[in-house]
Amino acid sequence: MISIVERLDIIKELVNTLYDFKRSGVLDDLLNAAASLRFFTEGLLTREFMERVSKLQEVALIAGNNLAMDSSKVDCLTYAVAAADDAKPVGLFGLLNALRDPEVQRGLGFLIAVLKKLGSCQR
């Protein structure tokens, strides 16, 4: 077995390297990075987080499959958002008046259907 005394040259080199790292601030940066990495991985590796990631993957897969079959809804949403740039504020009476418009009724029906599906997923 090799004794520590026989390896003093290696120990001296390690201490000098640590000293240089400490003096230059590299050691503090490494310690901070290690602490941040530990905090980050401990937060990510919780059961709850992994379950949420799994659900997000399922939703993304379903959305991707639906989009592959029919991209018209995304095209329609993109068009609607772009066209709504000039929207003006609407009060209660304006809302009631807009509810008589068949296009508003269709859009509202679509939003309600989406909200129902979102609500059922939250159980």
Side-chain angles (χ1 to χ4, degrees), residues 31-71:
L31 292 173
N32 287 334
S36 296
L37 183 61
R38 180 177 178 198
F39 175 77
F40 185 68
T41 55
E42 285 176 354
L44 286 182
L45 298 179
T46 64
R47 181 185 194 106
E48 180 183 337
F49 180 80
M50 296 309 286
E51 288 172 355
R52 288 180 186 231
V53 167
S54 177
K55 284 184 180 181
L56 184 59
Q57 287 174 330
E58 290 174 25
V59 169
L61 181 61
I62 292 168
N65 288 338
N66 290 340
L67 184 59
M69 290 188 297
D70 181 13
S71 65

